[in-house]
Amino acid sequence: MMRYSAWSVFKNGLTGQKHWDRVWRDPDPKPAYDVVIVGAGLHGLATAYYLAENHGVRNIAVLEKGWLGGGNAGRNTTIVRSNYMMPGNRDFYEHSLKLWERLSHELNYNVMFSQRAHISLFHSPAARDGAARRYNTMRLTDTEAELWDLDTLKKEVPHLNYQNARFPIIGAAVQRRAGSARHDAVAWGYARAADARGVDIIQNCEVVGVTREGSQVNALETTRGTISAMKVGFAVAGNTSRLWGMAELGKLPIETHLLQAFVSEPLKPLLDQVVVFGVGGAHFYISQSDKGGMVFGGDLDWYKSYAQRGNLPIVQDVSECATSILPCLARVRLLRHWSGVMDMSMDGSPFICKTPVDNLYLNAGWNYGGFKASPASGWYFADLIANDRPDSVIRHFDLKRFEKGINIDERGAGPDPKLHG
Ligand SMILES: Cc1cc2nc3c(=O)[nH]c(=O)nc-3n(C[C@H](O)[C@H](O)[C@H](O)COP(=O)(O)OP(=O)(O)OC[C@H]3O[C@@H](n4cnc5c(N)ncnc54)[C@H](O)[C@@H]3O)c2cc1C
């Protein structure tokens, strides 16, 4: 594989850009693999990469029904943070953030990770106390965190509505190492690095059936033929319940909901950070892309669906949030909006675990937050598949936590997926 560098850009510039290698191959599926991962989103691709890189597994396929990165991987608002409080989530997301910090070097691909700070506004003393508890817990467990008073916030983010907001802003909780990255680049970077290690990434290959014999998966029926595997991993995000059904495993504690994202026309530099607010039933997050578009989103569409398109009431709701917090956006035009299908778990926390079938492994339940999780998710899912036991960091991410009543209820929203972030 050609190494990307300033020199390779210079050389190819001089030779008419004609000598770049293909970024990944387009192989036909083989009849059998050691490991098959279903889903070429960020989690599936990262898993394949770490299986090859960390565990030396070479005979791997990633099966994708559409095109690589065409699911939530290519539809999210790209916020990366590790401001979690609950044991179980904390170590995991901090490990992920550390992987993000060196990901471009690791993959030799610029994922445009930008640590521009994540700023959660608070609007009441009670919210400030809640944020203080969470951010102080982070500090006590080796993640940096700050609480800003109003004067500091005004200095750092001058354009917010400090005058006549319905819910006055009184300060913010901040993680400076948090930020955003380019979502497509992450998918392409993992794909390229996995492919270079021999992983077959097979697009337009939908899994339509799972053949089981007792407690083993024998083969996957796909639109490109039958493929057998010693081990199978599901990493299909919003489609998890469908695959689970094909494996005849009953019901999962996951519901699939829609989440929309929005991009405005490009503007001159306006916002240097990721800004979030949630108060009085509203939920909103915004940042500015390198091309100048304001990238923002809000709540789920409030109903379950597999359709990757959203509806107008949420467009109105999110636009109202945008103009209430940043009134200067009132006359900015919306350029695009789209939706993805979210795998919402009942406690707002994920699953990276074994299943009742011996050689089948599950990666799901990412809610709104699977982009930031993708490096650690791939890291630990690969480890689980290779060693057939969970690392201690992910020991809580088990389906059995619902049987035992030890849910990792990060948002405290109970069994109501649409309320989880
Ligand atoms: C609008 C929006 C905003 C978001 N914002 C953020 C954010 O700011 N920060 C954050 O951390 N997270 C965010 N997320 C969440 C994050 O994008 C997801 O949690 C994460 O991308 C899910 O993992 P994935 O990339 O592997 O999923 P996907 O990219 O959806 O990958 C799953 C793949 O499986 C494939 N597949 C499904 N069924 C089959 C089948 N039968 N056979 C073969 N292939 C199949 C799909 O085509 C898909 O490509 C957001 C999501 C959305 C939709």
Side-chain angles (χ1 to χ4, degrees):
M1 179 178 68
M2 173 194 284
R3 233 192 117 62
Y4 291 162
S5 64
W7 169 244
S8 64
V9 171
F10 179 69
K11 201 172 68 178
N12 279 283
L14 289 181
T15 53
Q17 312 290 357
K18 293 198 182 103
H19 303 290
W20 293 108
D21 289 343
R22 266 192 86 111
V23 181
W24 53 81
R25 296 163 300 129
D26 187 18
D28 287 325
K30 294 190 282 196
Y33 289 92
D34 292 345
V35 180
V36 168
I37 305 293
V38 186
L42 298 166
H43 295 250
L45 293 167
T47 303
Y49 168 73
Y50 291 117
L51 269 170
E53 177 66 12
N54 293 357
H55 304 283
V57 184
R58 284 288 178 266
N59 192 20
I60 306 169
V62 183
L63 310 183
E64 168 54 49
K65 71 174 174 178
W67 68 95
L68 158 179
N72 291 344
R75 294 163 190 267
N76 66 82
T77 41
T78 71
I79 300 172
V80 176
R81 57 186 169 86
S82 69
N83 56 346
Y84 283 76
M85 190 177 82
M86 305 298 282
N89 281 334
R90 251 176 7 225
D91 292 352
F92 176 82
Y93 285 101
E94 182 54 24
H95 181 64
S96 206
L97 187 53
K98 292 205 169 87
L99 290 174
W100 277 108
E101 284 171 333
R102 53 187 164 84
L103 198 58
S104 293
H105 287 285
E106 161 117 26
L107 300 179
N108 180 227
Y109 201 98
N110 185 2
V111 301
M112 296 166 73
F113 181 46
S114 158
Q115 292 179 288
R116 60 182 67 180
H118 179 274
I119 300 178
S120 299
L121 308 178
F122 37 77
H123 309 261
S124 66
R128 185 187 51 211
D129 292 351
R133 178 172 174 240
R134 178 163 161 182
Y135 279 63
N136 283 331
T137 306
M138 287 161 61
R139 286 161 66 169
L140 289 170
T141 51
D142 289 337
T143 306
E144 46 74 49
E146 293 172 28
L147 294 173
W148 287 356
D149 60 17
L150 192 55
D151 288 341
T152 314
L153 183 62
K154 280 182 176 170
K155 217 164 18 176
E156 299 276 347
V157 197
H159 309 302
L160 299 180
N161 185 359
Y162 296 109
Q163 259 119 47
N164 57 358
R166 177 157 175 225
F167 298 103
I169 302 166
I170 64 169
V174 181
Q175 187 178 26
R176 285 198 189 263
R177 284 165 60 235
S180 72
R182 168 92 201 273
H183 45 10
D184 291 331
V186 186
W188 299 336
Y190 271 123
R192 173 172 172 269
D195 176 88
R197 285 157 184 76
V199 174
D200 283 357
I201 301 168
I202 302 162
Q203 304 181 76
N204 299 312
C205 182
E206 179 171 2
V207 173
V208 289
V210 177
T211 311
R212 266 182 63 185
E213 203 174 283
S215 63
Q216 291 281 319
V217 169
N218 278 354
L220 298 171
E221 302 305 327
T222 81
T223 47
R224 295 180 69 176
T226 302
I227 299 173
S228 59
M230 315 254 282
K231 295 182 176 183
V232 175
F234 287 166
V236 290
N239 286 284
T240 303
S241 305
R242 286 176 160 170
L243 268 290
W244 200 248
M246 287 179 207
E248 296 176 358
L249 283 166
K251 286 199 166 177
L252 271 177
I254 287 180
E255 286 181 3
T256 295
H257 286 255
L258 299 175
L259 181 68
Q260 299 192 51
F262 306 81
V263 178
S264 77
E265 60 186 328
L267 306 177
K268 288 190 175 169
L270 173 73
L271 192 64
D272 277 347
Q273 307 88 348
V274 179
V275 174
V276 183
F277 87 91
V279 63
H283 181 204
F284 181 72
Y285 34 94
I286 186 162
S287 62
Q288 187 166 23
S289 79
D290 291 348
K291 285 193 280 186
M294 305 306 295
V295 180
F296 51 95
D299 266 322
L300 299 171
D301 265 35
W302 304 121
Y303 62 92
K304 289 172 264 179
S305 172
Y306 289 110
Q308 289 177 309
R309 62 176 182 274
N311 278 311
L312 290 174
I314 289 290
V315 180
Q316 179 178 354
D317 182 57
V318 171
S319 306
E320 283 170 0
C321 286
T323 50
S324 81
I325 206 74
L326 279 159
C328 59
L329 294 182
R331 301 185 62 186
V332 168
R333 277 167 298 194
L334 199 58
L335 198 64
R336 292 184 286 134
H337 72 109
W338 61 85
S339 155
V341 284
M342 319 298 310
D343 37 334
M344 305 298 293
S345 66
M346 295 295 145
D347 62 353
S349 296
F351 304 105
I352 304 179
C353 60
K354 298 177 71 164
T355 71
V357 175
D358 291 343
N359 61 341
L360 178 65
Y361 303 82
L362 177 67
N363 176 316
W366 294 104
N367 299 270
Y368 289 22
F371 180 69
K372 70 176 100 67
S374 45
S377 165
W379 178 282
Y380 288 117
F381 196 39
D383 180 69
L384 172 74
I385 293 171
N387 297 314
D388 210 32
R389 53 99 193 96
D391 185 280
S392 66
V393 170
I394 56 159
R395 68 189 182 282
H396 303 285
F397 292 174
D398 200 303
L399 284 167
K400 294 201 178 97
R401 67 179 184 259
F402 290 98
E403 289 168 23
K404 296 180 193 153
I406 47 170
N407 306 354
I408 317 169
D409 209 350
E410 189 71 39
R411 279 283 299 266
D416 197 346
K418 67 181 182 302
L419 298 178
H420 290 292

